[in-house]
Amino acid sequence: MSFVLKTEDEYEDLLGLWSDLEAGLAMLLLHPQKTREFAARILQYDRWMQNLIQHDTDVALYLLFQLASHSPVGYSASHALVCAVLCHLVAREIQLPETERDSLVRAALTMNIAMTGLQNQLANQRGRPTPEQEVALQTHEARGEDLLRTLGIDDALWLQTVLQHHQETSLGEDLLHLPAPLRLAHILNVVDRYAAMISPRQSRAGRSATESAKSIVASSSAQNNQVAQTLMQVVGLFPPGTFVQLDNATVGVVMRRRNQDKHPDIAIVLNDKGQLMRPPSLHSSYNGSPTITAALPASGVQEHLNHHLILQLGARPG
């Protein structure tokens, strides 16, 4: 289903819904013990997320990647939401049973619940973690599982996935032949690393989504890159919201993926002198020059862009 953003109000509404979801999740993760019916709230946010993805996956990815680059509510909730969306898309692609998909996505939303404040702090910290912070990092999985139990979570698969999401696993067989806890923990581990790479922090700029995807695949063994390859299939080598350098020195932002993954639809936003294009120019890279030479991290484009206008350019009935 394609969701055509006819007016700026519709764009603001959709962006507002994503921002509200992210802000609500941030409050939930920062103050879980002050939340009534915690499990029901997580399920509510999961359904809310699914509805937004269902409107239009490309628009969802575009807004999500933009939020991840400029999150107003803190790194931890933004990271959790990106991971949950990517886990949902991977689960759909590999046709996970619905119960596994639910446990996986809810684990993604809550995997760092025992260190939400610390994760936000570290994202704004230029120096290395202190010894105390290191201890908190190394124990957050077990503490997170314990906390979720006290909050009333009794889904064993959800809890096991949170507990094991940092365990590196060498897979000797097909992903779908693994025991469910190992399968979900492995998917979340790969998605978590990819999402961490694309998000900027004070200590470093985020990588481009393309560079992150290639890095994840390159660091995986032949048996291990099934999830990485699936991730590249569902978001594309150049996901919506990714900035790209073109061979005529202009800069574009990807609006929509195509079946031919290296040839997405692009809005050219900076001219060859680095100046803002008003209005942006629509270009389908499938039709030829200019072609993409590299993906850029979000920090590489400092201009304030009219994202509603860009998404309008990329809207196609369908």
Side-chain angles (χ1 to χ4, degrees):
M1 176 181 178
S2 182
F3 183 73
V4 181
L5 296 166
K6 298 186 180 69
T7 69
E8 191 150 1
D9 285 346
E10 286 179 354
Y11 165 77
E12 293 294 346
D13 288 348
L14 193 55
L15 181 60
L17 286 170
W18 277 108
S19 297
D20 289 348
L21 172 56
E22 186 186 47
L25 181 62
M27 289 299 295
L28 194 68
L29 296 177
L30 278 167
H31 308 290
Q33 285 147 322
K34 296 180 181 177
T35 303
R36 294 178 61 184
E37 299 185 343
F38 177 87
R41 289 285 297 280
I42 290 291
L43 270 58
Q44 176 192 1
Y45 287 151
D46 181 9
R47 285 193 297 272
W48 186 355
M49 181 196 85
Q50 289 184 66
N51 288 337
L52 289 174
I53 295 170
Q54 190 177 358
H55 272 308
D56 188 317
T57 303
D58 281 337
V59 169
L61 287 171
Y62 185 103
L63 295 175
L64 195 67
F65 277 104
Q66 289 298 324
L67 276 177
S69 303
H70 310 95
S71 174
V73 301
Y75 174 86
S76 195
S78 171
H79 178 74
L81 187 56
V82 170
C83 287
V85 169
L86 296 178
C87 281
H88 171 79
L89 296 177
V90 168
R92 191 170 68 182
E93 183 73 14
I94 64 177
Q95 299 181 329
L96 275 187
E98 188 172 344
T99 54
E100 289 191 24
R101 176 261 163 224
D102 290 347
S103 298
L104 173 64
V105 169
R106 292 158 196 176
L109 289 170
T110 57
M111 62 183 164
N112 295 320
I113 192 167
M115 63 164 198
T116 303
L118 174 60
Q119 200 174 26
N120 288 340
Q121 184 182 340
L122 289 171
N124 293 307
Q125 180 175 311
R126 292 191 181 275
R128 293 183 58 80
T130 66
E132 294 79 10
Q133 289 172 333
E134 281 287 1
V135 170
L137 287 171
Q138 290 165 9
T139 60
H140 81 274
E141 304 101 306
R143 291 186 297 110
E145 187 214 21
D146 286 343
L147 178 54
L148 288 169
R149 285 184 190 277
T150 67
L151 293 166
I153 305 303
D154 57 7
D155 175 349
L157 198 48
W158 175 351
L159 293 168
Q160 284 176 298
T161 305
V162 168
L163 181 62
Q164 299 174 353
H165 75 273
H166 278 308
Q167 290 184 12
E168 294 286 344
T169 309
S170 181
L171 306 184
E173 55 185 304
D174 185 270
L175 187 68
L176 295 179
H177 295 159
L178 294 170
L182 192 58
R183 171 167 52 250
L184 300 196
H186 178 66
I187 294 170
L188 185 51
N189 180 276
V190 174
V191 167
D192 185 22
R193 286 188 288 130
Y194 170 82
M197 286 182 187
I198 65 172
S199 300
R201 304 176 205 177
Q202 281 296 326
S203 57
R204 60 159 177 78
R207 297 187 185 187
S208 74
T210 308
E211 185 186 358
S212 300
K214 288 178 175 176
S215 175
I216 289 286
V217 171
S219 65
S220 302
S221 67
Q223 293 90 357
N224 275 20
N225 73 2
Q226 193 174 349
V227 176
Q229 296 285 4
T230 303
L231 192 56
M232 288 181 68
Q233 287 168 23
V234 297
V235 301
L237 191 57
F238 301 103
T242 302
F243 291 107
V244 287
Q245 183 73 60
L246 303 174
D247 64 3
N248 63 352
T250 61
V251 170
V253 61
V254 175
M255 299 175 299
R256 290 196 174 274
R257 301 159 297 169
R258 281 178 168 264
N259 293 333
Q260 302 82 5
D261 189 39
K262 294 182 180 178
H263 303 287
D265 290 343
I266 298 166
I268 299 176
V269 293
L270 301 181
N271 64 21
D272 57 4
K273 297 179 177 64
Q275 299 164 332
L276 198 60
M277 298 269 287
R278 293 190 176 91
S281 168
L282 177 62
H283 172 59
S284 176
S285 58
Y286 183 69
N287 294 331
S289 187
T291 58
I292 296 171
T293 58
L296 301 171
S299 58
V301 178
Q302 300 294 335
E303 298 283 354
H304 180 72
L305 303 179
N306 183 336
H307 293 295
H308 161 252
L309 189 57
I310 291 167
L311 289 172
Q312 256 198 329
L313 276 176
R316 290 200 303 263

